[in-house]
Amino acid sequence: QLQLRESGPGLVKPSETLSLTCTVSGDSIGHTSYYWAWIRLPPGKGLEWIATVYHSGSTYYNPSLKSRVTISADTTRSQFSLTLNSVTAADTALYFCARHRFYGSVPSNWFDPWGQGTLVTVSS
Amino acid sequence: QSALTQPRSVSGSPGQSVTISCTGTTNDVGVYNFVSWYQHHPGKAPKLIIYDVTERPSGVPDRFSGSKSGSTASLTISGLQADDEADYYCCSYAGSYTVVVFGGGTKLTVL
């Protein structure tokens, strides 16, 4: 059974860089039919898609975050990662990683399964 | 402000049906049949319940159904159960620039 688990610091200071890792078990992130994504849920707000990566290295970013975000995949470790630069209090959120059915021979757009999420607070 | 508009809350009694709307534009919901819905119980991982507007993943009860008319997608939950009380989010593909958009979420209360 495919499982995803987020890891990273729970507290980041303003202006610093947030780094998160998602570890995938039960399948290879090199699977040709799937992509891998980060999504966040700020307190009191809705879900926000951050970025998606394919095992080949192709990346897709939310235009509103693109200048500060990098997503990457490491197939040897079955992990994919997120870095977010110059964080502010507005980046405080529950961060989820998820498998993303996206482009391909049968295009679609859905996220399943998701990790439990990791809470990141931006505060000095 | 989220790209897709959902009601902040809906409610219903056990056994009843509720419908949650998700209004987008001709850049997302109105032009692509790639709308998905997620159920989120706080503290748990969000769960995919509808994809490609009307499709249900294996294991999701047929009490959950999806539809779309123009730029508005809808999720209908029939035969409400206590465990359906959760937050529900819609999501749509939005083209090669914006890529993916979510709704602001709807809190379902089972009375």
Side-chain angles (χ1 to χ4, degrees):
Chain A
Q1 181 182 357
L2 182 68
Q3 292 186 318
L4 293 85
R5 187 182 74 251
E6 305 88 351
S7 58
L11 182 64
V12 182
K13 290 182 168 54
S15 80
E16 295 190 343
T17 295
L18 164 65
S19 295
L20 297 174
T21 296
C22 183
T23 300
V24 179
S25 59
D27 196 5
S28 167
I29 67 169
H31 198 300
T32 56
S33 298
Y34 296 105
Y35 294 65
W36 305 91
W38 287 97
I39 299 150
R40 69 182 183 179
L41 181 62
K45 296 186 178 181
L47 291 169
E48 180 178 35
W49 171 73
I50 303 171
T52 288
V53 65
Y54 194 51
H55 65 81
S56 65
S58 298
T59 55
Y60 308 84
Y61 293 104
N62 184 323
S64 69
L65 297 169
K66 186 174 183 177
S67 63
R68 299 193 292 128
V69 173
T70 302
I71 189 172
S72 61
D74 183 344
T75 55
T76 63
R77 295 188 175 189
S78 201
Q79 294 178 332
F80 60 103
S81 300
L82 175 77
T83 60
L84 178 63
N85 302 322
S86 305
V87 299
T88 69
D91 296 309
T92 293
L94 188 56
Y95 285 76
F96 298 98
C97 60
R99 184 178 64 174
H100 189 182
R101 183 61 180 252
F102 198 31
Y103 295 128
S105 58
V106 182
S108 187
N109 177 52
W110 46 262
F111 300 93
D112 181 68
W114 298 52
Q116 295 268 35
T118 186
L119 180 63
V120 177
T121 301
V122 179
S123 175
S124 55
Chain B
Q1 186 173 350
S2 299
L4 304 179
T5 301
Q6 299 181 232
R8 290 191 66 89
S9 64
V10 297
S11 62
S13 299
Q16 289 185 332
S17 296
V18 295
T19 296
I20 299 171
S21 61
C22 169
T23 301
T25 69
T26 52
N27 295 319
D28 39 63
V29 176
V31 69
Y32 299 107
N33 289 323
F34 297 145
V35 176
S36 51
W37 289 88
Y38 302 87
Q39 178 190 63
H40 185 215
H41 289 104
K44 293 191 174 182
K47 177 185 177 182
L48 174 70
I49 54 174
I50 295 288
Y51 68 97
D52 292 353
V53 180
T54 61
E55 302 299 308
R56 267 189 319 275
S58 173
V60 174
D62 60 5
R63 301 187 298 106
F64 293 87
S65 62
S67 62
K68 190 182 86 167
S69 178
S71 297
T72 298
S74 298
L75 171 71
T76 298
I77 308 171
S78 59
L80 272 178
Q81 300 178 0
D83 189 52
D84 296 335
E85 187 163 291
D87 297 318
Y88 291 83
Y89 294 91
C90 61
C91 175
S92 176
Y93 179 66
S96 60
Y97 177 72
T98 305
V99 191
V100 175
V101 289
F102 277 96
T106 298
K107 181 175 181 56
L108 169 62
T109 300
V110 180
L111 302 171

